[in-house]
Structure formats: structure tokens, C-alpha cells
Amino acid sequence: MSTGSGAASAPAPDPNDTRSTLDISPTRKKSMFSSLRVRNYRLFFLGQVVSNIGTWMQRIAQDWLVLSLTGSSAAVGITTALQFLPMLLFGLYGGVLVDRLRKRPTLFVTQCAMALTALALAVLTLTGRVEVWHIYLAAFALGLATVVDNPARQAFVSELVGPGQLQNAVSLNSANFQSARLVGPAVAGLLITGVGTGWAFLLNGLSFVAPLAGLMMMRARELHPVERAPRGKGQLREGLRYVSGRPELLWPIVLVGFIGTFAFNFPVYLSAFADEVFDGGAGVYSMFNTLVAVGSVSGALLAARRGTARLRLVILAAMAFGTLEIVAAASPRLWMFALVMIPLGLFSMTVNVTTNSSLQMTTDPLMRGRVMALYMMVFLGGAPVGAPIVGWITDTYGARVGFATGGAVAVVAASVIGLILARAGGLRLSVGWHGGHPRVRFVPRERREELVSAV
């Protein structure tokens, strides 16, 4: 298999190098906003600011419209499932296409398709003709566009900034998306209570003008081109073999698969808590999303400043994230529940950004589209499986049980996969005392054997 020029990526790691399993690309700290000095990335970033606000407006409006029409958390789960079902079914094929195609024209087409979907839903809602099956169909259509759009956007970042700024740019992209989460839900709440959900869909459709203009204004000569994969048979199987032979790629993807399937179903959990547990409305639901976004922005900005993408941080953050979901599920008061949303968002974003960065920085450029498509497939594509399940649990046993179940899955998955990665990295669990206090940590296998022999 060709490894490509490597001009737009850190080199792929040696699968026999045990250090790469838990410690990815150690680099020094950088300026938090250093990648914004690149003109093409700056255009991309600014376009996404506007579009992401619209996206969050539509998410809130869509979830609340379904809940208003049906009164069912399971229906909200079905909507989420339909939106991410195409990623589960066709995500890997989308990655193969992205590796073959030029990224900028591909993004232009997918962004136009997503804009048309939002505008169609706006017309149906504003004319009073919207039905639940219309929302289901729009969610599925949006998911089809996402199959190609998501891996294309992930892979395009390296062409915008090059390898030196990749970690920073990935983190700022996440901060961008989550910052929009601060504005979008608040605006959506005002629109829903003031003039209706249709206006949120309309503004989202119009917001795509910004990223489309940014793509048109970019200077092609300033991009960092990556060699495209030629057409050929067996490219999907080749991508799966590539990931399966590298534990530093395989197990983080498995972990986010469990978390994305069961723990990241915020539309189901938060809408149920707002409506059933605390007897609030769209404003309370928007507030919950806004507080999660506050923590998420903090997590993304901290990741942008860090110079490393360590998998041990992914494991610890996933365990903390699951624990906080369990704590939130048991919170007896609205203010207690709301307070937990901030650290919950911080740790969820730490898992997301650190996993994303480590995968991109350790993947061969020729394989990046397929690897990122697999990552997005299990992260987002797990929703069609998980959302109806957690929606049913929430409807049957209550919002608290549903939320706690998602958190428990995250904690167990992080614990098991952390042990697997430690073993693959040649580490062993060390239990001892330090300064009169117990200390549990992972140490290299050789060191533990030396300590045992010394005793």
C-alpha cells in the first residue's frame, strides 16, 4: 500500500511502536488561534460560524416540533435515528468517494443539498402543512448529504492548514460548532415561542450562503493538496484492514461508537428532562443545550491550546463524561441538573476533539477519508441503533433511568478499552503508596517487572 507523499499529514505510525498507542504526536503548546492566520482556513471558519448557528437552530426546532406533534420521546429518537441512518449504511462508501474526489467542489455540492433540505422543511412548516413524516423524510435527506459532507470537511482541514496547524484547526472547528450552540438554541427558543419553528428552518437554509461564499473565495494555490486515491477495487476493505491493524486507530473508534450510540443522545435525554421531569418548555430545553455548549466550547479551546492528542486523555474524559451523566440523572433540582451540564459538555468535547485529532494526525493521507468516514460512521451512525433504544427506555422507565443508562455504558466502555489500549501499549496497572496515599497508575511492563525482581 502506498503511503503517499506525507506532505499534508504526520506520517502514519508504526503499528509495532507501542508508544503510539497511548501517546500520540507529542508537540509543544501553540497559540490558541494560530491556524486562523491562514487565509483559506479563516474563510472556512467564518463561513462555518454562520452555518453552524443555523444548524443548531434547526436541531432545536426539529426536536421540539416532533415532540409537539407526537408527545413522544421515542419519536424524537426516531428522527435522530433517521438523520444518522445514512451514515451507518453508507458512511464507508462516502469515505471512499472523499478519498477519490477533490474536496472543495465536493463540499460545495453537499452544502447546497443541505440548504435545499432546510428550505423545503421551512416551506412546509410556515404553510401549516408539516406532518411528522415530512420531518422524518427531511432528516433522512440531510443524513444522505452528511455521508459525504462530514468526511470531506474533516479531510479538507488538512488541505487548508497543512500538518503543522492540523491539531489547532481541528480543535477550533469543534469550538466553532459548539460556540454556535450558545447562540443557535437561544435564538431557536425565541423564534419557537415568538413566531414559530418554520422561521428557524428558513434561517438555517439561508445561513448556507456564508460557507458557500467562503469556498468560492478561497485561493487554490494556497491549499496543501493531498494525493487522491485512484479508482480501484477493494478500497473499502483496504480501509478496514488499515484500521484493524492499528490499535491506536481501532480502539478509540470502538469507544466513540459506544458513546455515540448510547451516551450522546442529548436530543432524547434533554427534551425529556425539560418536558417531563422539570415541566418546562422549549426555553428550558434550549437552556440545557446552551449550558452544554458552554462546557463544550471550553473543552474545545483547551484542546486547541494543548500540543498533544493523548489517548489516555480520551479514556479519562470518557469515564468522567459517563459519570457526570449518572450524576445528572440523579439530580433532584433543576438548578443542580443545569449546573452539571457545563462539565458534561467539557468532557464530551474533550473526547470528541482528542479522538478526532489523534486519528487525523496518525493516518496516511491516502486513507484519511476512509478512516474519518469510519470514525463518523460509528460516532454518528450509532444513533439509528441507540436513539430508539434510549427513547424507549426513557418513555418506559423515565428520563432518569434513560440518562443513567447512557452514562453507565460510557463508563464501562472507557474502562474496558482503556485496559485494552494499556496492554497493547506494553503497560501494566501499578498499585502502591506515594506520600502516605494510595496511587493507581499504568507503568511500562519492563519497569513493573524490575520492581518485582527488586523486591
Side-chain angles (χ1 to χ4, degrees):
M1 179 182 62
S2 171
T3 59
S5 64
S9 173
D14 181 353
N16 297 317
D17 182 1
T18 58
R19 292 184 309 163
S20 65
T21 306
L22 290 179
D23 203 350
I24 301 295
S25 62
T27 58
R28 62 184 176 84
K29 288 186 178 181
K30 297 182 178 181
S31 168
M32 188 176 290
F33 304 101
S34 58
S35 56
L36 288 176
R37 300 190 188 104
V38 180
R39 179 183 182 274
N40 283 343
Y41 178 72
R42 192 162 60 247
L43 289 170
F44 178 82
F45 183 90
L46 293 174
Q48 292 299 311
V49 168
V50 178
S51 181
N52 285 336
I53 291 173
T55 296
W56 277 112
M57 289 170 56
Q58 174 152 330
R59 284 194 179 189
I60 300 301
Q62 174 182 279
D63 296 340
W64 201 256
L65 181 59
V66 171
L67 194 63
S68 300
L69 292 173
T70 65
S72 169
S73 294
V76 178
I78 291 171
T79 307
T80 303
L82 287 171
Q83 184 165 330
F84 298 119
L85 180 62
M87 182 65 72
L88 179 64
L89 297 177
F90 312 116
L92 289 177
Y93 296 98
V96 171
L97 284 175
V98 168
D99 280 336
R100 292 176 181 174
L101 300 172
R102 293 168 57 201
K103 308 301 185 293
R104 186 159 62 136
T106 300
L107 285 172
F108 196 90
V109 172
T110 57
Q111 295 281 295
C112 285
M114 295 165 79
L116 291 175
T117 300
L119 292 173
L121 193 56
V123 170
L124 288 170
T125 307
L126 289 172
T127 56
R129 299 177 181 177
V130 68
E131 299 180 20
V132 174
W133 72 268
H134 292 143
I135 306 172
Y136 288 165
L137 183 62
F140 187 77
L142 183 63
L144 285 175
T146 303
V147 166
V148 177
D149 184 81
N150 242 320
R153 278 191 294 110
Q154 301 287 340
F156 190 47
V157 173
S158 67
E159 296 191 21
L160 290 170
V161 300
Q165 297 287 352
L166 183 57
Q167 159 82 8
N168 182 262
V170 168
S171 301
L172 288 183
N173 279 353
S174 297
N176 184 335
F177 187 71
Q178 297 302 326
S179 296
R181 194 174 185 176
L182 294 172
V183 180
V187 175
L190 292 174
L191 290 173
I192 292 170
T193 56
V195 294
T197 55
W199 290 97
F201 300 139
L202 177 61
L203 291 178
N204 178 46
L206 296 177
S207 73
F208 283 94
V209 172
L212 291 172
L215 289 170
M216 294 177 65
M217 294 169 63
M218 289 178 184
R219 296 170 181 165
R221 66 180 182 275
E222 295 178 7
L223 294 174
H224 300 257
V226 173
E227 182 181 355
R228 285 181 283 159
R231 295 180 61 88
K233 295 181 179 180
Q235 290 181 322
L236 191 150
R237 291 192 300 273
E238 182 185 20
L240 292 176
R241 284 196 301 268
Y242 179 83
V243 171
S244 64
R246 291 163 172 79
E248 73 278 3
L249 299 179
L250 174 63
W251 291 111
I253 289 176
V254 172
L255 175 59
V256 298
F258 276 104
I259 292 177
T261 300
F262 296 102
F264 264 48
N265 285 286
F266 289 133
V268 177
Y269 298 137
L270 299 187
S271 62
F273 266 85
D275 187 49
E276 300 171 13
V277 178
F278 299 118
D279 195 25
V284 173
Y285 180 47
S286 297
M287 179 190 70
F288 289 159
N289 280 275
T290 300
L291 291 172
V292 171
V294 170
S296 298
V297 171
S298 301
L301 291 177
L302 287 173
R305 188 168 181 79
R306 279 195 302 268
T308 59
R310 298 176 185 271
L311 292 185
R312 70 186 67 180
L313 179 60
V314 174
I315 300 300
L316 293 174
M319 294 180 67
F321 171 70
T323 301
L324 285 168
E325 286 202 338
I326 297 173
V327 171
S331 299
R333 297 287 185 268
L334 173 61
W335 69 266
M336 293 180 182
F337 183 87
L339 193 62
V340 177
M341 293 299 100
I342 296 176
L344 187 71
L346 188 150
F347 283 109
S348 70
M349 190 50 49
T350 300
V351 173
N352 191 352
V353 171
T354 308
T355 304
N356 189 318
S357 300
S358 66
L359 293 178
Q360 292 211 49
M361 295 170 70
T362 56
T363 299
D364 187 316
L366 283 174
M367 304 295 296
R368 186 173 287 129
R370 279 163 282 184
V371 171
M372 297 312 297
L374 179 61
Y375 165 68
M376 299 307 298
M377 184 187 78
V378 300
F379 184 52
L380 300 178
V385 178
I389 294 174
V390 300
W392 175 80
I393 293 173
T394 300
D395 281 342
T396 305
Y397 300 102
R400 296 189 186 279
V401 174
F403 209 7
T405 300
V409 170
V411 171
V412 172
S415 301
V416 173
I417 291 173
L419 291 173
I420 293 173
L421 282 171
R423 183 177 180 83
L427 302 178
R428 290 289 185 267
L429 186 66
S430 173
V431 181
W433 290 84
H434 179 74
H437 300 284
R439 181 168 66 174
V440 180
R441 58 176 179 161
F442 287 104
V443 299
R445 181 184 295 117
E446 295 78 6
R447 182 178 176 184
R448 189 177 183 222
E449 291 172 353
E450 291 172 359
L451 291 173
V452 172
S453 63
V455 174

